C-alpha cells in the first residue's frame, strides 16, 4: 500500500533522512520507532507530500507523491505532531471544514462526521470551541480530523504524545479498532506503544533504518541468547567458574543465587553451562531463556549506532 | 471551486468568532465617519455664491473629499486583516493540514483571498447609511457613487493582495503587517514623484500611481487604466504569494 524507496532528505549539508526504504501492506499497522530527532517526522512529511524528498520516492497505492500529490493526498489521513486545529473554531464546524477540504462527497459528509466524532469519543464536546478543550481532547480532535475522510492510509505522528496514561490507552484502543480496514503508519519514541498496537516495526536512528521486522521477529533476532540462572547454593567460586566457561558476553549477578547471562548463540554455550552447573553441585533450580524485550533491541541498536558514529 | 469556497467560508468564520473583524470594521467606520462629518461640515459652511461660482456640487465636494478618508481607512484597516491569513496557519501548524490536503496552492491562496474580499465588501456596505443620509437633502448621483465604490473595492483588493503576500513571507503577524506598508506606500506615494523625471520614467511613475487611479474612480469615472492597474497588481502579488508558499516546501 505504501512503498518507500531510498528516501533521503538533506537540509543544506545536514542529512535528516538517509536511504530509508520500507513497504507497508494493506491493513498493517507499522510502528515507526526512533529517538527524538531520528527523522521520523521528516519521513512522514515526505510520504504526505508536505515536503519533497531530496532523493528517492514515496508511493501510496502505486502513485508517486511528487508526481501526483493531490491523488496521494486524497487517499491519506494525516495527524501531524501538533494537532492541526483552529483554536477559535467549534469542534463540529472544524470537522465539517476538514470534510470539505478532503473532498468528502457532500452526501457522505454527515455520516463521516458522525463516525469520526463517535470513534474519537467527541460526542459531548462537539459543540465546544477547540481552544477551550484540554490537551487530550485536542489530540482526539486531531485524530478525528485524520480518520474523517476514511482514508486508505492513516499516518499518525506521535499520536499519544502529551497525553495522560488513561488517554494514551484510549487513543491506542481507537487506533487498534481501525486496523484491518485501514493501513496505519504510526511514529513514536515510546516503546511499549509499538508492542501494544503495531504488527510491524521499523526502527530508525539518525536518519537511517537500523532494523525492520515483525514485532516477534525483531525480539527473537540477534546473535545472543539471554538466560536466567537460579541456584540454591551460591558462591563466589561459582561465579568465577561461570565466567571462565567462555562464550559469556555479559554476566549480571542480582540477588544471591540469580544470574542474568548473555550467551553467544554459537558454540553450544547453553549446553556447557547447564552441564557445569549440575556438576558443581550448586543446586540448579532454574535455567530459563529470556526473550529480549523490544526495549532491549531498541537500546542495543541505537547505542550500537551511537558508538559507530 | 467548492474547495475554494470551503476555505473562504472558514476564513470568514474565523474572522467573526474572534474580535479581529469587529475591531477592524469599527476602526474603519470610525475613520470614514469622521471623514464624512468633516466633508459635510465644510460643504455646509460654504456660502451659496461660492457653491455657484466654484461649480461645487455635493458629489464633487463631499464624495471627493471623503474618498481620501476612505482610502486612508482602507490602508490602515486592511493590512491588519490580511496579516494573519497565512502567517497564522504556519505558526499554528495548520499549514501542514492544508498542504497535505488535496488542494492546490492556487486554490488555497484564492480561497483565502476571497475570504478577505468578503470582509472588505461588508466594510464598504456598512458605509452606505452615510450616503443614504446625503440622499435626504441632495442627489448624490448614485451611478457615479457606484464607480467610486468600485474604485474603493479595487484599491482595497490590491492592499489585501499585498498583505496576503507579506503574510506568506513570515510566521509573525506583526512582521507581516510591517512588511505590507513598504510595498503599499510607494504605490500610493509615487504620484509625488510625478514631473520629477522625464520621458518614460515619468510615465511609469504616473501609471503605477494607485492614488491617482483611485481618485479618478472616486470622481465617478470608470477608467480602464485604473482597473488594469489594480487587477495587474492583484494578480502579481497573489502569484508571488503562491510562489512563496510552494518554494517554502523546498527549503
Amino acid at each position: 500500500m505504501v512503498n518507500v524507496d531510498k528516501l533521503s532528505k538533506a537540509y543544506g549539508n545536514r542529512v535528516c533522512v538517509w536511504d530509508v526504504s520500507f513497504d507497508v501492506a494493506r491493513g498493517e499497522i507499522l510502528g515507526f520507532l526512533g529517538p527524538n530527532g531520528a527523522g521520523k517526522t521528516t519521513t512522514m512529511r515526505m510520504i504526505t507530500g508536505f515536503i519533497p524528498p531530496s532523493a528517492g520516492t514515496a508511493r501510496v497505492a502505486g502513485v508517486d507523491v511528487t508526481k501526483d500529490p493531490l491523488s496521494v493526498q486524497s487517499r491519506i489521513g494525516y495527524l501531524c505532531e501538533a494537532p492541526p486545529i483552529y483554536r477559535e473554531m467549534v469542534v463540529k464546524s472544524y470537522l465539517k471544514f476538514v470534510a470539505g477540504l478532503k473532498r468528502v462527497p457532500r452526501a457522505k459528509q454527515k455520516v463521516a462526521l458522525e463516525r469520526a466524532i463517535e470513534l474519537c469519543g467527541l460526542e459531548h464536546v462537539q459543540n465546544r470551541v477547540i481552544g477551550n478543550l484540554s490537551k487530550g481532547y485536542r489530540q482526539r480532535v486531531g485524530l478525528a480530523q485524520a480518520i474523517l475522510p476514511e482514508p486508505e492510509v492513516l499516518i499518525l505522528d506521535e499520536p499519544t504524545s502529551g497525553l495522560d496514561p488513561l488517554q494514551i490507552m484510549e487513543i491506542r484502543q481507537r487506533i487498534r479498532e481501525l486496523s484491518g480496514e485501514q493501513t496505519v503508519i504510526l511514529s513514536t519514541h515510546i516503546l511499549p506503544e509499538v508492542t501494544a498496537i503495531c504488527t510491524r516495526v521499523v526502527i530508525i536512528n539518525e536518519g537511517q533504518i537500523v532494523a525492520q521486522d515483525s514485532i516477534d521477529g525483531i525480539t527473537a533476532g540477534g546473535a545472543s541468547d539471554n538466560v536466567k540462572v537460579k541456584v540454591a547454593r551460591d558462591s563466589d567460586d561459582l561465579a568465577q567458574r561461570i565466567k571462565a566457561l567462555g562464550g559469556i558476553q555479559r554476566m549480571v549477578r542480582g540477588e544471591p543465587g540469580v544470574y542474568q547471562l548473555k550467551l553467544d548463540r554459537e558454540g553450544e554455550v547453553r549446553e556447557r553451562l547447564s552441564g557445569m552447573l549440575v556438576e558443581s553441585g550448586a543446586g540448579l533450580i532454574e535455567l530459563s531463556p529470556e526473550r529480549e524485550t523490544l526495549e532491549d533491541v531498541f537500546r542495543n541498536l541505537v547505542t550500537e549506532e551511537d558508538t559507530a558514529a | 471551486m467548492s474547495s475554494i469556497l470551503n476555505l473562504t467560508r472558514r476564513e470568514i468564520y474565523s474572522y467573526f468568532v474572534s474580535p479581529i473583524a469587529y475591531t477592524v470594521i469599527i476602526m474603519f467606520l470610525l475613520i470614514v465617519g469622521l471623514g464624512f462629518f468633516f466633508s459635510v461640515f465644510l460643504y455646509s459652511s460654504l456660502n451659496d455664491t461660492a457653491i455657484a461660482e466654484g461649480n461645487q456640487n455635493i458629489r464633487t465636494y463631499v464624495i471627493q473629499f471623503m474618498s481620501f478618508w476612505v482610502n486612508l481607512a482602507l490602508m490602515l484597516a486592511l493590512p491588519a486583516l490580511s496579516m494573519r491569513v497565512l502567517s497564522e496557519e504556519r505558526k499554528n501548524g495548520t499549514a501542514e493540514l492544508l498542504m497535505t490536503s488535496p488542494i492546490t496552492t492556487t486554490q488555497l491562496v484564492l480561497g483565502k483571498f476571497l475570504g478577505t474580499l468578503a470582509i472588505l465588501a461588508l466594510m464598504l456596505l456598512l458605509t452606505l447609511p452615510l450616503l443614504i443620509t446625503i440622499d435626504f437633502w441632495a442627489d448624490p448621483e448614485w451611478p457615479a457613487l457606484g464607480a467610486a465604490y468600485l474604485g474603493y473595492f479595487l484599491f482595497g483588493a490590491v492592499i489585501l493582495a499585498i498583505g496576503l503576500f507579506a503574510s506568506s513571507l513570515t510566521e509573525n503577524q506583526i512582521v507581516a503587517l510591517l512588511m505590507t506598508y513598504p510595498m503599499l506606500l510607494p504605490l500610493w506615494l509615487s504620484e509625488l514623484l510625478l514631473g520629477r523625471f522625464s520621458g518614460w520614467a515619468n510615465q511609469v511613475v504616473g501609471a503605477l500611481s494607485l492614488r491617482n487611479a483611485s481618485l479618478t474612480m472616486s470622481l465617478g469615472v470608470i477608467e480602464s487604466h485604473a482597473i488594469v492597474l489594480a487587477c495587474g497588481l492583484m494578480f502579481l502579488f497573489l502569484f508571488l504569494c503562491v510562489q512563496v508558499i510552494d518554494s517554502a516546501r523546498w527549503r
Side-chain angles (χ1 to χ4, degrees):
Chain A
M1 198 64 206
V2 180
N3 314 88
V4 173
D5 188 28
K6 296 196 172 123
L7 211 57
S8 302
K9 179 75 192 176
Y11 290 98
N13 38 20
R14 194 169 61 85
V15 176
C16 275
V17 172
W18 179 248
D19 217 19
V20 164
S21 307
F22 60 86
D23 294 314
V24 193
R26 187 182 290 269
E28 242 180 354
I29 303 187
L30 178 81
F32 207 50
L33 186 65
N36 292 326
K40 302 185 296 278
T41 300
T42 309
T43 308
M44 292 187 144
R45 283 180 167 176
M46 285 191 279
I47 300 172
T48 57
F50 182 61
I51 49 173
S54 306
T57 52
R59 284 195 188 80
V60 174
V63 183
D64 188 340
V65 181
T66 49
K67 298 257 164 57
D68 189 1
L70 296 196
S71 158
V72 168
Q73 284 160 353
S74 62
R75 288 168 201 269
I76 57 171
Y78 175 44
L79 170 60
C80 39
E81 219 166 343
I85 47 166
Y86 294 95
R87 301 172 65 100
E88 71 273 16
M89 289 185 98
V90 167
V91 173
K92 213 171 173 182
S93 325
Y94 168 71
L95 291 176
K96 250 183 218 158
F97 164 67
V98 173
L101 197 64
K102 302 284 179 184
R103 296 205 182 148
V104 177
R106 193 150 295 206
K108 286 189 192 159
Q109 279 191 9
K110 199 164 177 277
V111 182
L113 207 71
E114 276 164 10
R115 172 183 168 272
I117 287 175
E118 197 208 307
L119 263 174
C120 296
L122 292 168
E123 289 96 338
H124 55 285
V125 296
Q126 56 179 312
N127 293 317
R128 285 180 58 188
V129 175
I130 299 176
N132 296 342
L133 297 177
S134 68
K135 196 170 181 190
Y137 270 109
R138 280 187 216 167
Q139 189 74 24
R140 284 201 229 177
V141 173
L143 187 64
Q145 163 274 124
I147 64 170
L148 177 86
E150 297 187 43
E152 293 169 56
V153 179
L154 200 55
I155 297 177
L156 308 172
D157 196 354
E158 305 202 354
T160 59
S161 72
L163 303 184
D164 68 43
L166 210 66
Q167 292 166 329
I168 289 179
M169 272 164 59
E170 263 191 54
I171 292 270
R172 285 181 189 163
Q173 184 57 35
R174 311 275 176 219
I175 295 169
R176 261 197 303 262
E177 280 164 15
L178 294 171
S179 69
E181 31 176 334
Q182 277 159 331
T183 308
V184 182
I185 301 178
L186 172 139
S187 87
T188 181
H189 61 269
I190 309 161
L191 293 149
E193 190 149 289
V194 177
T195 20
I197 321 177
C198 305
T199 51
R200 240 157 56 83
V201 60
V202 167
I203 300 181
I204 183 172
N205 188 44
E206 287 175 3
Q208 280 173 290
I209 289 186
V210 287
Q212 59 172 318
D213 206 341
S214 66
I215 301 276
D216 296 334
I218 210 158
T219 49
S224 58
D225 282 332
N226 283 335
V227 174
K228 186 181 169 192
V229 172
K230 205 170 173 186
V231 292
R233 290 171 293 279
D234 194 15
S235 64
D236 286 343
D237 179 47
L238 185 69
Q240 291 297 327
R241 286 181 66 178
I242 294 176
K243 253 187 199 161
L245 206 60
I248 310 271
Q249 290 179 5
R250 195 175 64 195
M251 182 178 88
V252 180
R253 202 171 162 193
E255 44 189 299
V258 179
Y259 294 84
Q260 297 280 352
L261 303 172
K262 195 171 181 187
L263 313 176
D264 281 341
R265 187 159 286 177
E266 310 281 308
E268 286 127 13
V269 184
R270 230 194 293 190
E271 198 186 317
R272 282 193 282 132
L273 176 69
S274 58
M276 186 274 285
L277 285 170
V278 172
E279 228 173 87
S280 70
L284 179 63
I285 300 171
E286 186 183 336
L287 191 152
S288 54
E290 287 205 321
R291 288 180 67 81
E292 258 187 312
T293 62
L294 194 55
E295 194 158 357
D296 296 324
V297 175
F298 182 64
R299 201 186 298 123
N300 290 343
L301 288 169
V302 170
T303 42
E304 270 167 22
E305 278 290 306
D306 279 347
T307 49
Chain B
M1 194 62 203
S2 71
S3 296
I4 296 179
L5 290 181
N6 187 44
L7 286 158
T8 306
R9 259 197 308 276
R10 201 212 67 77
E11 204 59 31
I12 298 170
Y13 175 105
S14 272
Y15 274 125
F16 284 103
V17 290
S18 61
I20 310 168
Y22 301 103
T23 319
V24 169
I25 290 174
I26 288 171
M27 183 173 96
F28 173 78
L29 291 178
L30 271 177
I31 298 174
V32 173
L34 207 66
F36 181 75
F37 174 76
F38 281 148
S39 28
V40 171
F41 191 68
L42 274 174
Y43 181 71
S44 62
S45 69
L46 291 173
N47 57 42
D48 289 348
T49 47
I51 292 171
E53 283 169 9
N55 190 25
Q56 303 277 26
N57 65 20
I58 195 146
R59 176 172 58 81
T60 51
Y61 208 75
V62 176
I63 304 303
Q64 199 185 336
F65 190 78
M66 202 180 113
S67 79
F68 166 77
W69 290 90
V70 174
N71 283 345
L72 183 71
L74 287 174
M75 285 202 293
L76 285 174
L78 294 181
L81 211 60
S82 60
M83 65 180 186
R84 53 166 282 284
V85 172
L86 291 159
S87 56
E88 207 181 47
E89 301 277 357
R90 263 215 265 173
K91 193 160 201 168
N92 288 348
T94 40
E96 209 160 334
L97 168 67
L98 298 176
M99 287 161 77
T100 55
S101 293
I103 50 165
T104 61
T105 311
T106 311
Q107 284 174 323
L108 171 67
V109 169
L110 280 182
K112 296 208 154 263
F113 185 56
L114 283 182
T116 56
L117 283 186
I119 311 280
L120 168 64
L122 175 71
M123 279 161 59
L124 292 176
L125 267 181
L126 287 173
T127 63
L128 276 184
L130 299 176
L131 304 177
I132 291 169
T133 54
I134 299 184
D135 199 44
F136 279 126
W137 75 79
D139 177 16
E141 296 178 54
W142 289 102
L145 268 179
Y149 268 69
L150 177 66
Y152 299 152
F153 185 77
L154 286 174
F155 181 63
V158 171
I159 299 176
L160 288 173
I162 294 175
L164 220 61
F165 170 58
S167 181
S168 72
L169 292 171
T170 168
E171 274 185 19
N172 190 320
Q173 297 188 20
I174 306 298
V175 174
L177 177 70
L178 293 178
M179 283 198 295
T180 310
Y181 288 110
M183 288 185 273
L184 172 62
L185 288 180
L187 291 168
W188 174 252
L189 297 173
S190 70
E191 185 208 35
L192 298 177
L193 296 174
L194 217 55
R196 292 189 185 268
F197 304 106
S198 56
W200 63 269
N202 200 44
Q203 279 180 336
V204 168
V205 168
L208 280 179
S209 171
L210 209 52
R211 186 172 172 201
N212 259 357
S214 167
L215 285 182
T216 320
M217 296 281 283
S218 73
L219 290 174
V221 183
I222 296 184
E223 197 194 26
S224 62
H225 164 248
I227 293 175
V228 169
L229 174 65
C231 292
L233 286 172
M234 244 185 281
F235 177 81
L236 172 70
F237 282 104
L238 292 180
F239 173 77
L240 287 175
C241 187
V242 171
Q243 299 308 308
V244 167
I245 297 174
D246 273 341
S247 77
R249 301 188 190 210
W250 293 92
R251 251 181 262 137

